[in-house]
Structures are given as structure tokens and as C-alpha cells.
């Protein structure tokens, strides 16, 4: 009898676990399906290729090409800015460059930065802009976003770089190469797929973030022209359009969300596939 | 020095500078926000601002209490909704699922973490808010649906990926031997999990929950879209609330005309940074100790 009760508990718990997992995956599928269906209905070529015309927010013609281009500019801009900081940091975290204490402290700093809410990056970006006398602009958005991307990118790169076999480095050193030559010629080449993956993951996070660019990048109905002008972005396009009282405009929020979701999921999937594909040629 | 030596020297220095920059960034943010929020700290005491519940910026009254309570309540609600299913799902992934299924599902959960928060917010507006409204009517409560509960549900969905994936990772670090010996004594799989695996992984599981908590605490846009944004203490889960991040995001841009307003909002950002940073510090230290103890 006792055994049977224990088996029943086992079965019950297993049932609960499978239910939980199904619910979790189900919610994900529900989100994607809802956005696909609602967004698909509202999506048109006009949405993708035209900028808002007069009265767009009252339901008249036009599209959100400005937000698509703006988001891509912000995303790529911030990705390159943060690359210039994360790449040296990721290399510096190797044993040859940094002692264990500093490496541990840096990892702690990165973890805290990783968890810092994006609205705080927005606020800090704003403080910096005020300090340098900048106005709401693409540059401001890029600064705030690159802070947000920095920890994501560095952590991904560090993990990859640490997987490069020590033997390879030793061979390079024994041939008389310096630390830099080894890092660039051997480690960088080996870790390249991982570095690209890290960049793409950070890009995906950055392009979808709204809170950090809310008052650093601003919003405009025009195509981005210079980095000192305000720039539109997809997350804010969704946010502002759903906030209007007109159903026609709210429909367009769905379409904008669909475009954003497709970009983010595509970038994430490509990053993963690329990582898989390229790492096959790597010596382990 | 040779040319190679110079290049080497410069590269090493560049890396050093980058590392120091990253290490000082948290302090830079704290100092920057502190400097900007000093005007308000000079006029009001810290305790007064944290405990007062009158928010009338035009009259110079900045009581953060409703926002702090709103933030804490919505975070706790989302944790209550998210933690049990996340733990169960993680146990299944780590203990019961075949490696292939596990890997596939972990990819799905990782993808879920990548979905932009504004998309979660939109899902909330389309699906969750009407659901909450209907649910409220069922219980005889009149609500617009834009409420603490809707915010809690959206946040719960958003923290699922982080709690599940960290917990799974932690449970996978528990050595196989610990399981084998218990199962050899005749325990079922669930009993092994309950008495051995969860006990060994307890700290890691708590860290996973803390990480989720920190994420929920600072989330802005998605919550702001469904929570109603009314600066009053909510009395039930069907009432609207107004968490701190939403306060900052909603009011920036139009604050320059009101004295001390920007200072108050940057002070709110400082509170968020310090609280969330503290949580992450705790979780990081625990997780590092666990990983070192492997």
C-alpha cells in the first residue's frame, strides 16, 4: 500500500511538472500567434516603406519606415560603440592580462550591470546628455543603448574566449608570439563565431528595448538625417500607437510589434545557428 | 622598444582602461544620479520622501510611498504566480526530460527571454487586460482591467525564462552520485529530487528567484502599459497601481517646468539602481560560490 501511495505522489508531481512546462511553452506560443495574427492583418507595404503622412495618428495614410530605419540605426550604432569597450574587456578577462581578483570583481560589475533596469540606463543617459549639453537625439539613444548592451556582449564574448584551448595559446607563445599577437592571431580567430553571436544577441536586446531610449532618443515622424536629431524607433512606435484612442492607429501598433518581433526572433535564431555552424570549424 | 613591444604595451593599456571603465560604471551611475537628485535631498529628508504618500509635484510634495508599495506588491504578486510553475518546469527539464527534449525546450525558453518587453506589454493589453476585467466581473468587482493583477501576470510571464533557465542550470550541477545513492535505496525520482537535489541546490534556486525578482522590480514598459498608473495605494489586486519605473518613464520630458521634479525622478532611478544592484550582488555571490564548489 505504502509503495502505491509513493508512486501516486510521483505521478502527481510529474503531472504538475508537465502541466507547468506546457503552460510556459503555451504562453510563448500564444504571444507569438496573437502578434502574428493581429499584426499580419494590419501589416501592409505602406506600413513598411512609407513615413507617416499628415494625420497619421488620426488614422490617415503612411507607415512606420522612419521607426524601422531609426531602430536599425540605433541598434547598429550602439552595437559598434559597445563593441569597442566589450572586446578589450573580454580579452582582458583572460588569465594573461588580469589577475584573478580583478577578473572576479569585473565579472561582479558585469553581473550588476546586466541586471540594471533599462529605465535606469535611460535616466543615466539623460544625465550624461544634460552634462554635455546634448539634446534628445540619436546620439543620446546610442549612448544609453550601448550601456545596456555592454554587459550582455561582454559576458557572451568572455564565455566563448574562455573556451579556447590553452594548448593553442601555449603553441603560439612557444613560437615567440607576444600576448597581443596570440590574442589577435589565435584567440580572436578561434572565438570569432562566439564574438559575432554575442554581438547579435546584444543587438537583439537593444533593438527591442524601449525604456532606455524613451527620453534619450526621442521620437520623430521623419527619417533619421543626422545623429544629432531625434530618431523614431519601433518599440516606441508600438507604445505610442497603442496609446492613441483610435482603433485604426492601434491596429498599426500590432503591425509594428510584428515587425519588431520578427527582427528580434530572426536575429536570435541566426545568432544561434551561426554559432552552431561556425563552431564546427573550431579546434577544441 | 621594438615596434612589437610598443604595440603590445598600447594594447595592454587599452584593455586596462576598458576594464577600469566597466568596473567604475556602476559607481559612475550612482554618483551621476546622486548629484542630480541632491536638490531634492536638501529640501526633504530621505525618510519623509520614502514614507509620505502625497504626490503633488506642483506643490513640491514628493511622497514616494505609493510607488514603492506599488512596485513591491506587483513584484511579489508576479513572483507568487511565476515561481511554482518555473520550479516544476525546471525540475522536469533537469531530472526527467531526455537530453534532446531538454535542449530544444531550453532554446524555446531562451527565445522567450529575447522577446521585447513592449511586445509583452501589447500582449497584455490585447489579452490579459480584458481577461482580468472579465475575471473581476465574475467576482462582482468593477475594474477596467488595467490593474495590479494584469501587471503581475505580465511580469510573471516575463520572469519565467530567467528563473527557469537559471534553476535548470543549478539543478544540473548537482552531482549524479548524490541521486544514484538515494535511488539505490529505493526512493522514487520525485523523492530523490525533493530530499536530495533540491536540498543541495537550495541556494542556487533561491538565487534564481532573486534574479527574477530583480528583473521584475525594474521592468518598465510592459508594466506601464497594463497597470493603470494611478498614484494611489491599491486596495485590491483589481485596483490600478503605479510602480516606480513607470513613474520615471511617464513623466520625463514634461518635467522641466516644475522645480525639483526632475530631481525627484532621478532619485527614483537611484532607488531602483541601488535596490536592484543589491539583489544582483547577493545572487551573484551565491551563484559564484556554488559554481566554485562544483
Amino acid at each position: 500500500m505504502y509503495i502505491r501511495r509513493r508512486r501516486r505522489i510521483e505521478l502527481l508531481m510529474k503531472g504538475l511538472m508537465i502541466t507547468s512546462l506546457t503552460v510556459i511553452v503555451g504562453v510563448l506560443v500564444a504571444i507569438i500567434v496573437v502578434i502574428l495574427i493581429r499584426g499580419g492583418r494590419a501589416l501592409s507595404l505602406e506600413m513598411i516603406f512609407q513615413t507617416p503622412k499628415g494625420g497619421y495618428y488620426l488614422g490617415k495614410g503612411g507607415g512606420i519606415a522612419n521607426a524601422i530605419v531609426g531602430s536599425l540605426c540605433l541598434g547598429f550604432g550602439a552595437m559598434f560603440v559597445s563593441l569597442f569597450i566589450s572586446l578589450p574587456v573580454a580579452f582582458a578577462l583572460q588569465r594573461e592580462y588580469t589577475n584573478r581578483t580583478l577578473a572576479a570583481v569585473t565579472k561582479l560589475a558585469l553581473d550588476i550591470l546586466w541586471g540594471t533596469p533599462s529605465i535606469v540606463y535611460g535616466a543615466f543617459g539623460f544625465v550624461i546628455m544634460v552634462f554635455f549639453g546634448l539634446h534628445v537625439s540619436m546620439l543620446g539613444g546610442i549612448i544609453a543603448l550601448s550601456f545596456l548592451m555592454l554587459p550582455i556582449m561582454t559576458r557572451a564574448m568572455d564565455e566563448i574566449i574562455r573556451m579556447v584551448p590553452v594548448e593553442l595559446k601555449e603553441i603560439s607563445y612557444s613560437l615567440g608570439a607576444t600576448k597581443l599577437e596570440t590574442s589577435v592571431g589565435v584567440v580572436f580567430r578561434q572565438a570569432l563565431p562566439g564574438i559575432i553571436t554575442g554581438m547579435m544577441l546584444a543587438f537583439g536586446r537593444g533593438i527591442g528595448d524601449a525604456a532606455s531610449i524613451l527620453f534619450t532618443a526621442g521620437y520623430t515622424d521623419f527619417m533619421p538625417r543626422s545623429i544629432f536629431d531625434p530618431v523614431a524607433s519601433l518599440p516606441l512606435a508600438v507604445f505610442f500607437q497603442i496609446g492613441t484612442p483610435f482603433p485604426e492607429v492601434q491596429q498599426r501598433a500590432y503591425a509594428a510589434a510584428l515587425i519588431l518581433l520578427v527582427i528580434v526572433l530572426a536575429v536570435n535564431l541566426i545568432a544561434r545557428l551561426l554559432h552552431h555552424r561556425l563552431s564546427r570549424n573550431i579546434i577544441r | 622598444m621594438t615596434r612589437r613591444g610598443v604595440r603590445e604595451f598600447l594594447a595592454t593599456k587599452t584593455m586596462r582602461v576598458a576594464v577600469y571603465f566597466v568596473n567604475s560604471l556602476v559607481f559612475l551611475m550612482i554618483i551621476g544620479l546622486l548629484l542630480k537628485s541632491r536638490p531634492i535631498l536638501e529640501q526633504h529628508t530621505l525618510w519623509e520622501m520614502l514614507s509620505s504618500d502625497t504626490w503633488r509635484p506642483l506643490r513640491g510634495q514628493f511622497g514616494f510611498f505609493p510607488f514603492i508599495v506599488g512596485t513591491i506588491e506587483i513584484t511579489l504578486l508576479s513572483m507568487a504566480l511565476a515561481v511554482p510553475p518555473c520550479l516544476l518546469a525546471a525540475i522536469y527539464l533537469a531530472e526527467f526530460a531526455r537530453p534532446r527534449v531538454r535542449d530544444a525546450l531550453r532554446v524555446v525558453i531562451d527565445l522567450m527571454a529575447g522577446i521585447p518587453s513592449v511586445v509583452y506589454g501589447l500582449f497584455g493589453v490585447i489579452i490579459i487586460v480584458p481577461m482580468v476585467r472579465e475575471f473581476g466581473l465574475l467576482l462582482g468587482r468593477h475594474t477596467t482591467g488595467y490593474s495590479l493583477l494584469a501587471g503581475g501576470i505580465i511580469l510573471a510571464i516575463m520572469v519565467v525564462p530567467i528563473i527557469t533557465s537559471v534553476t535548470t542550470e543549478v539543478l544540473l550541477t548537482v552531482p549524479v552520485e548524490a541521486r544514484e545513492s538515494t535511488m539505490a535505496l529505493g526512493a522514487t525520482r520525485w523523492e530523490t529530487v525533493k530530499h536530495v537535489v533540491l536540498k543541495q541546490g537550495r541556494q542556487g534556486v533561491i538565487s534564481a528567484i532573486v534574479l527574477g525578482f530583480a528583473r521584475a522590480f525594474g521592468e518598465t514598459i510592459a508594466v506601464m502599459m497594463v497597470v493603470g498608473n494611478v498614484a494611489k495605494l491599491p486596495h485590491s489586486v483589481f485596483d490600478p497601481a503605479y510602480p516606480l519605473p513607470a513613474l520615471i518613464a511617464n513623466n520625463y520630458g514634461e518635467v522641466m517646468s516644475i522645480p525639483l521634479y526632475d530631481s525627484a525622478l532621478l532619485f527614483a532611478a537611484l532607488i531602483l539602481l541601488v535596490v536592484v544592484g543589491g539583489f544582483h550582488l547577493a545572487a551573484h555571490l551565491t551563484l559564484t560560490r556554488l559554481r566554485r564548489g562544483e
Side-chain angles (χ1 to χ4, degrees):
Chain A
M1 287 319 270
Y2 185 53
I3 286 276
R4 218 186 259 168
R5 217 189 105 207
R6 286 169 55 200
R7 282 223 184 101
R8 235 179 278 151
I9 292 177
E10 163 105 6
L11 272 182
L12 174 72
M13 292 317 291
K14 221 174 151 181
L16 282 177
M17 287 175 202
I18 294 178
T19 317
S20 308
L21 205 55
T22 318
V23 169
I24 290 174
V25 176
V27 168
L28 172 78
V29 173
I31 291 174
I32 293 180
V33 168
V34 164
I35 300 293
L36 278 182
I37 292 179
R38 296 277 183 113
R41 249 188 260 152
L43 194 66
S44 63
L45 285 179
E46 196 189 359
M47 281 288 299
I48 302 178
F49 292 109
Q50 288 185 14
T51 54
K53 292 194 177 125
Y56 175 78
Y57 296 99
L58 301 169
K60 295 213 181 107
I64 47 161
N66 57 327
I68 299 175
V69 176
S71 259
L72 293 176
C73 289
L74 284 170
F76 278 109
M79 189 174 82
F80 281 110
V81 171
S82 93
L83 181 66
F84 281 106
I85 308 171
S86 8
L87 203 56
V89 174
F91 274 103
L93 284 176
Q94 292 178 86
R95 232 181 309 165
E96 295 97 309
Y97 290 101
T98 309
N99 61 38
R100 274 180 68 173
T101 324
L102 183 56
V105 171
T106 310
K107 268 178 206 158
L108 173 61
L110 284 171
D111 268 8
I112 293 177
L113 288 176
W114 184 80
T116 301
S118 62
I119 187 78
V120 174
Y121 285 115
F124 181 60
F126 189 80
V127 171
I128 294 180
M129 283 161 60
V130 171
F131 185 77
F132 287 107
L134 289 169
H135 293 284
V136 171
S137 60
M138 188 195 284
L139 184 63
I142 287 179
I143 293 174
L145 269 189
S146 53
F147 284 142
L148 179 90
M149 288 183 182
L150 182 63
I152 304 168
M153 211 188 261
T154 316
R155 263 169 52 147
M157 288 178 182
D158 172 50
E159 251 165 53
I160 294 301
I161 288 176
R162 235 179 320 147
M163 276 174 16
V164 175
V166 192
E167 291 81 359
L168 277 178
K169 291 198 238 171
E170 281 169 355
I171 293 168
S172 168
Y173 286 132
S174 68
L175 289 172
T178 62
K179 284 198 277 189
L180 178 66
E181 286 159 355
T182 308
S183 295
V184 174
V186 179
V187 180
F188 181 77
R189 207 170 279 183
Q190 284 285 310
L192 191 59
I195 289 171
I196 294 173
T197 311
M199 282 167 69
M200 293 182 80
L201 288 178
F203 178 79
R205 258 298 280 287
I207 202 171
D209 193 72
S212 63
I213 53 175
L214 193 56
F215 32 81
T216 49
Y219 200 84
T220 165
D221 278 351
F222 303 104
M223 279 285 184
R225 269 174 311 215
S226 98
I227 59 167
F228 298 106
D229 288 336
V231 63
S233 51
L234 277 171
L236 293 186
V238 177
F239 183 64
F240 291 141
Q241 291 178 34
I242 196 72
T244 61
F246 305 100
E248 299 92 343
V249 185
Q250 289 180 353
Q251 290 294 319
R252 293 173 179 161
Y254 307 148
L258 173 65
I259 299 172
L260 181 63
L261 188 65
V262 167
I263 294 178
V264 169
L265 287 184
V267 166
N268 268 296
L269 276 175
I270 293 172
R272 265 162 233 285
L273 287 178
L274 205 66
H275 181 56
H276 234 69
R277 177 75 51 89
L278 291 176
S279 40
R280 255 190 270 151
N281 306 326
I282 298 263
I283 306 163
R284 289 241 184 270
Chain B
M1 243 193 289
T2 61
R3 215 165 159 182
R4 290 169 71 199
V6 172
R7 222 181 279 163
E8 177 81 21
F9 176 79
L10 286 177
T12 317
K13 283 289 166 227
T14 317
M15 287 183 191
R16 268 290 144 106
V17 171
V19 168
Y20 290 140
F21 173 73
V22 165
N23 279 319
S24 54
L25 197 51
V26 179
F27 297 104
L28 277 178
M29 287 205 279
I30 290 179
I31 291 168
L33 293 175
L34 200 59
L35 281 180
K36 282 282 167 184
S37 52
R38 218 177 46 191
I40 195 162
L41 286 167
E42 277 167 1
Q43 299 220 355
H44 305 271
T45 63
L46 187 63
W47 176 246
E48 188 191 327
M49 278 194 290
L50 295 183
S51 65
S52 154
D53 62 358
T54 32
W55 180 259
R56 288 203 196 90
L58 283 170
R59 297 197 195 161
Q61 288 172 311
F62 297 97
F64 282 105
F65 193 62
F67 306 101
I68 294 172
V69 170
T71 314
I72 294 174
E73 282 183 346
I74 201 170
T75 311
L76 288 179
L77 182 62
S78 71
M79 295 318 276
L81 290 171
V83 168
C86 284
L87 291 192
L88 287 167
I91 294 172
Y92 186 83
L93 287 178
E95 304 292 325
F96 293 91
R98 272 167 292 160
R100 272 199 146 186
V101 178
R102 178 198 303 151
D103 290 342
L105 285 176
R106 286 183 89 182
V107 170
V108 169
I109 289 171
D110 280 353
L111 283 183
M112 197 170 165
I115 295 181
S117 55
V118 73
V119 173
Y120 281 107
L122 194 62
F123 179 74
V125 173
I126 303 175
I127 305 289
I128 306 291
V129 169
M131 243 169 62
V132 169
R133 193 188 304 141
E134 293 300 315
F135 184 58
L137 283 178
L138 218 63
L139 297 180
R141 302 289 304 256
H142 276 281
T143 165
T144 53
Y146 291 92
S147 59
L148 199 61
L149 182 60
I153 295 174
I154 281 301
L155 269 186
I157 297 175
M158 292 181 75
V159 296
V160 158
I162 180 161
I163 301 183
T164 311
S165 76
V166 177
T167 309
T168 311
E169 197 192 316
V170 165
L171 294 183
L172 285 173
T173 61
V174 175
V176 190
E177 291 79 8
R179 294 181 185 127
E180 278 173 346
S181 48
T182 319
M183 286 177 70
L185 290 173
T188 60
R189 273 222 155 216
W190 165 248
E191 284 162 348
T192 314
V193 170
K194 187 173 144 199
H195 296 295
V196 180
V197 180
L198 280 184
K199 212 163 261 179
Q200 287 219 9
R202 194 177 50 201
Q203 277 186 317
V205 173
I206 292 173
S207 300
I209 296 173
V210 170
L211 286 179
F213 193 92
R215 171 88 201 265
F217 206 83
E219 176 50 43
T220 312
I221 294 288
V223 176
M224 191 167 136
M225 288 165 82
V226 299
V227 82
N229 303 326
V230 176
K232 258 196 288 182
L233 281 179
H235 294 293
S236 85
V237 290
F238 293 111
D239 284 343
Y242 206 161
L244 274 179
L247 170 74
I248 306 172
N250 260 333
N251 294 297
Y252 235 101
E254 47 204 285
V255 297
M256 288 316 183
S257 46
I258 305 169
L260 290 183
Y261 204 171
D262 60 330
S263 192
L265 293 182
L266 290 173
F267 178 66
L270 182 65
I271 299 177
L272 276 182
L273 175 60
V274 170
V275 172
V276 174
F279 278 125
H280 268 268
L281 186 66
H284 173 97
L285 293 179
T286 319
L287 283 174
T288 338
R289 204 165 48 197
L290 278 181
R291 280 176 196 145
R292 205 172 289 156
E294 274 167 37

